[in-house]
Amino acid sequence: MAKPTNYDASAIQVLEGLEPVRKRPGMYIGSTDQKGLQHLVTEIIDNSVDEALAGAASHIWVILHKDGSVSVQDDGRGIPVDMHPKAKVSALQVTLTTLHAGGKFDEKAYKVSGGLHGVGASVVNALSDHLRVEVRRDSKIYFQEHKRGVPEGKVATTDKPESPNLSKTGTYVHFHPDPTMFTSVEFDPQTIENSIRNRAYLIAGVHFYFTNEISDITKQYYFEGGIKSLVAHTNRDKKVLHDPIYIKKTADHTDVEVAVQYNDSFSEMVTSFVNVVETVDGGTHVTGFRIALTRAINDYAKKIGAFKNGEESLTGDDVREGLTAVIYVKIPTQAIQFESQTKAKLNNPEVQGYVNAVVKEGLDTYFEENPADARRILEKVMLAARARLAARAAKDAVLRKGALEGMTLPGKLADCQSRIASECELYLVEGQSAGGSAKNGRDRKFQAILPLRGKVLNTERAQLDRVIAFEELKILTIAVGMGIGDTINPEKLRYHRIIIMTDADVDGSHIACLLMTFFYRHLPYIVQNGHLYLAMPPLYKIDIAKQSFWAYSDEERDAILKAHPDSKFTIQRYKGLGEMNATELWDTTMNPENRTLKKVEISDAAHADHVFSTLMGDDVPPRKKFITTHARSANLDI
Ligand code: 0RA
């Protein structure tokens, strides 16, 4: 470890340079929650990915260390270490201590980090309580350590490197996020793994390694097949209709790459990327793709005379049922435009035209040359069109009866007094007796209670007409207030917190799972906008002297007992919500002052889709495999 030394004048200037990052971290990484935290890892990985895109690195190693820190190593050229003419310190130090220092050295055509997130390693450094960098160059190993963005000494050489891989040249960055800057500093290994896997698919030929030292597992990612492999991977639990269709072409400095594969499900899984960064909210490249897909399939249907009387054309919704696709465009960094600060949506108008032209031509050719595949796709989407017409008729019938108008709120709903949605909460409560306690215990000003009888329909593969024919889901939909299907109106949402409150046992988890499936598949707006929560009822009540304590886990129970070792106590295990009286339920689970809520978040739609397909879908073997693999992390209490 380097000893702290005196800073020279330029170093102090640099220190001031990073102050804004620590003052307003959200401005640089979006947020200081789990998402912002995860951003630190992708930022450092993308610096190495840029080196790989420049053709200078072929291996990237990522390690999640036991102490919660992360290191990223590549076998690129190594960040330059020579004296920076203006700053009068090593270029390496400038890179780590100056905002946007990266872009000054080189102008690579498709740069990931500078162009999209654009924050650079210095932001990660500013938000780390410890960061060590090692550069292998000119047969030497240089290193520097930093605390909260402040160098602990000058760049120096060492013959005892910390970096594990022995390539002759390369860069190693090891950082631990500063706990005072984030709501949590615990990285999610799954999220790291997913971003590594995405990058491996997109940059064919680069070897990625991810070691999780906490679970002692190393995974390697290397795909020759690029996005074709990604589409196949996304469809791995589904019945596919054909081999992936792959289209690639360069139009006016924009590389367009698309892979498409239909499966027999009803959902759509379209993932899009610009220069290796996922555009979660799509944009002009996705719009161009959709227009081309709809046109190409309609043109083919007309050409082979597939439309019968009354059927005129397929809509965008029809051709998206069962569609899995990856859209990947590469645009010169300086030309990229984004719609907003979050940079999740591409806004370049010309890209829509390029993608549209490339995809239309590619699909026309493919359908021409592979008529059997084309027919299978056509049958699938025409079935979707017929189902749409049937569902519309069924829903019209339901709507005519006024069931979903929201005029008459269901009698089972104990509504709250407030009409200000942002302060209102809807508790979905398992069982009549718990429902009764919840109704008596709640704060009726802003808390509404809807008791649910037993299990709701599994809606994973249910069409809308079947969903609203199911009484409990119809009642729930009316209570939520924003409609369903293509009549959704977010402004009519009646509660900004919808809280699933079930027993802490297997049945309770199943009911919660069914309700989450309903929201995820049929009211995704609720999940995407953070309106869905799980209540966390306690598992134990411990009475010691005249005081009562509640424990929400076995660890908490043990800690409470340990803190009062020589007092007499009684311990009561709650089996279900119904065992708590109204006051207890309010105190432990519903009172905003002391309750814990878990927000249901979909940070990775593809992963969520996989979990839902596996757990809630038709096929038994993948479900069995999922359950046996995850059995140890499950909490069985039968
Ligand atoms: C500036 C110039 C050169 C390489 C890099 C930066 C570089 C940055 C990172 C960040 C992570 N890994 C990296 N590898 C390289 C080119 C230096 C040369 O021409 O030798």
Side-chain angles (χ1 to χ4, degrees):
M1 290 275 163
K3 291 243 157 51
T5 55
N6 295 329
Y7 308 117
D8 58 22
S10 55
I12 289 169
Q13 252 180 354
V14 163
L15 184 158
E16 285 169 355
L18 287 181
E19 222 170 313
V21 182
R22 292 184 60 86
K23 273 218 180 99
R24 295 171 184 272
M27 291 259 293
Y28 295 86
I29 52 165
S31 61
T32 55
D33 56 6
Q34 178 68 25
K35 208 168 164 185
L37 180 75
Q38 218 61 42
H39 206 128
L40 303 184
V41 181
T42 47
E43 186 61 36
I44 296 298
I45 293 178
D46 283 344
N47 286 331
S48 293
V49 165
D50 280 340
E51 190 66 358
L53 281 176
S58 56
H59 293 77
I60 297 173
W61 298 270
V62 181
I63 302 174
L64 173 58
H65 297 271
K66 279 213 171 85
D67 64 356
S69 60
V70 167
S71 65
V72 178
Q73 187 176 2
D74 65 57
D75 60 351
R77 291 164 294 184
I79 301 176
V81 293
D82 48 313
M83 197 65 94
H84 192 270
K86 270 203 210 115
K88 305 268 193 300
V89 291
S90 164
L92 176 60
Q93 177 171 327
V94 174
T95 305
L96 288 167
T97 52
T98 316
L99 287 170
H100 299 294
K104 285 178 193 151
F105 297 108
D106 51 347
E107 299 290 331
K108 294 167 199 158
Y110 304 134
K111 215 163 134 41
V112 180
S113 53
L116 288 159
H117 299 311
V119 296
S122 58
V123 167
V124 178
N125 194 20
L127 300 177
S128 297
D129 56 12
H130 185 214
L131 179 143
R132 180 184 170 94
V133 61
E134 290 181 7
V135 168
R136 292 163 185 248
R137 254 181 105 96
D138 326 315
S139 313
K140 292 197 184 80
I141 301 171
Y142 301 87
F143 80 101
Q144 188 174 42
E145 304 220 354
H146 297 248
K147 285 196 170 142
R148 295 172 195 88
V150 183
E152 296 271 280
K154 291 184 175 172
V155 173
T157 56
T158 177
D159 51 12
K160 290 199 179 58
E162 177 188 293
S163 48
N165 297 292
L166 303 175
S167 49
K168 284 212 172 68
T169 62
T171 303
Y172 169 85
V173 177
H174 183 181
F175 68 97
H176 184 277
D178 184 346
T180 64
M181 289 284 124
F182 295 91
T183 49
S184 151
V185 287
E186 204 175 311
F187 288 108
D188 174 28
Q190 189 63 54
T191 310
I192 298 180
E193 195 181 322
N194 289 342
S195 41
I196 292 172
R197 192 194 307 110
N198 277 346
R199 282 158 179 74
Y201 279 120
L202 299 180
I203 315 159
V206 176
H207 298 263
F208 287 81
Y209 303 85
F210 176 46
T211 301
N212 180 351
E213 288 190 341
I214 298 163
S215 61
D216 196 22
I217 292 174
T218 295
K219 292 190 180 173
Q220 185 186 350
Y221 293 95
Y222 172 80
F223 300 106
E224 301 248 340
I227 61 171
K228 239 167 109 169
S229 312
L230 177 51
V231 160
H233 175 83
T234 308
N235 273 339
R236 70 195 177 285
D237 327 299
K238 309 251 164 87
K239 284 200 189 82
V240 297
L241 305 188
H242 57 93
D243 286 341
I245 303 170
Y246 177 71
I247 297 162
K248 178 177 179 169
K249 204 171 170 186
T250 302
D252 196 19
H253 302 293
T254 302
D255 274 4
V256 179
E257 236 184 292
V258 168
V260 180
Q261 188 182 37
Y262 277 89
N263 61 57
D264 78 339
S265 81
F266 302 122
S267 45
E268 176 198 10
M269 213 60 231
V270 171
T271 323
S272 61
F273 300 87
V274 175
N275 297 11
V276 197
V277 171
E278 187 171 353
T279 34
V280 188
D281 297 329
T284 47
H285 51 334
V286 177
T287 309
F289 167 79
R290 289 190 166 152
I291 294 171
L293 181 73
T294 311
R295 285 216 187 117
I297 296 184
N298 271 302
D299 284 358
Y300 186 75
K302 277 193 200 113
K303 202 179 109 189
I304 66 163
F307 290 131
K308 303 278 177 310
N309 307 342
E311 294 170 339
E312 290 191 341
S313 66
L314 297 152
T315 67
D317 284 340
D318 297 335
V319 303
R320 293 205 288 267
E321 253 189 33
L323 167 73
T324 297
V326 175
I327 303 152
Y328 177 25
V329 297
K330 282 184 270 181
I331 307 172
T333 309
Q334 62 277 13
I336 297 179
Q337 298 164 24
F338 284 101
E339 188 181 275
S340 62
Q341 282 274 265
T342 58
K343 296 171 176 177
K345 189 167 182 183
L346 184 67
N347 209 18
N348 292 53
E350 74 284 4
V351 173
Q352 181 172 322
Y354 297 152
V355 177
N356 184 0
V358 169
V359 173
K360 177 67 167 60
E361 190 194 321
L363 286 176
D364 285 349
T365 311
Y366 187 89
F367 292 157
E368 190 75 43
E369 291 171 359
N370 302 275
D373 287 359
R375 276 192 182 268
R376 244 171 282 144
I377 293 171
L378 202 53
E379 271 165 29
K380 160 80 186 163
V381 298
M382 292 193 62
L383 201 65
R386 279 177 214 132
R388 167 173 55 89
L389 294 173
R392 161 89 26 94
K395 196 175 72 189
D396 284 351
V398 178
L399 286 175
R400 265 198 304 280
K401 285 186 223 144
L404 278 187
E405 301 285 59
M407 294 302 180
T408 47
L409 285 169
K412 284 175 69 177
L413 173 74
D415 208 4
C416 53
Q417 290 157 351
S418 168
R419 288 289 168 265
I420 303 164
S422 60
E423 65 182 28
C424 290
E425 302 181 341
L426 174 64
Y427 275 83
L428 308 178
V429 187
E430 166 188 4
Q432 297 300 330
S433 69
S437 298
K439 277 181 193 174
N440 292 327
R442 67 179 170 145
D443 183 335
R444 61 181 62 239
K445 269 210 289 293
F446 65 98
Q447 291 180 320
I449 310 292
L450 183 63
L452 294 172
R453 196 170 358 106
K455 293 187 178 164
V456 300
L457 177 74
N458 179 0
T459 54
E460 169 66 16
R461 287 174 61 87
Q463 292 276 9
L464 195 54
D465 52 331
R466 271 189 62 217
V467 173
I468 42 188
F470 191 88
E471 187 65 15
E472 303 258 278
L473 292 177
K474 189 174 84 186
I475 290 175
L476 173 53
T477 307
I478 295 170
V480 169
M482 61 185 284
I484 196 162
D486 40 61
T487 61
I488 281 183
N489 181 357
E491 280 173 20
K492 290 201 166 167
L493 176 62
R494 302 180 64 246
Y495 312 92
H496 278 201
R497 274 196 282 273
I498 298 175
I499 303 165
I500 300 173
M501 186 158 76
T502 57
D503 291 344
D505 61 12
V506 172
D507 273 337
S509 308
H510 188 205
I511 292 169
C513 203
L514 291 165
L515 287 168
M516 286 190 282
T517 305
F518 166 71
F519 284 107
Y520 181 65
R521 291 295 182 207
H522 299 277
L523 284 172
Y525 176 89
I526 301 280
V527 187
Q528 280 155 8
N529 290 279
H531 295 307
L532 189 62
Y533 296 83
L534 298 173
M536 292 286 125
L539 294 177
Y540 303 100
K541 184 186 184 190
I542 304 162
D543 287 311
I544 302 175
K546 284 202 176 97
Q547 257 188 306
S548 295
F549 299 88
W550 282 281
Y552 294 79
S553 66
D554 289 356
E555 290 76 31
E556 250 181 65
R557 174 200 58 193
D558 297 343
I560 291 167
L561 292 179
K562 216 169 168 185
H564 305 268
D566 21 63
S567 318
K568 270 196 186 162
F569 62 85
T570 56
I571 203 167
Q572 183 192 349
R573 184 173 173 121
Y574 280 118
K575 277 281 180 202
L577 298 164
E579 288 181 11
M580 274 187 267
N581 65 34
T583 316
E584 286 171 333
L585 196 58
W586 164 257
D587 283 342
T588 60
T589 318
M590 296 176 71
N591 180 356
E593 303 265 302
N594 29 2
R595 73 182 175 195
T596 312
L597 293 182
K598 271 195 192 167
K599 192 191 258 185
V600 177
E601 278 187 327
I602 305 279
S603 55
D604 182 341
H607 183 65
D609 183 80
H610 166 58
V611 172
F612 276 106
S613 310
T614 317
L615 275 178
M616 312 304 282
D618 291 338
D619 266 10
V620 177
R623 172 163 37 237
K624 210 167 159 186
K625 179 161 172 260
F626 185 93
I627 291 170
T628 25
T629 321
H630 292 81
R632 272 195 297 165
S633 56
N635 206 341
L636 283 187
D637 180 9
I638 306 175

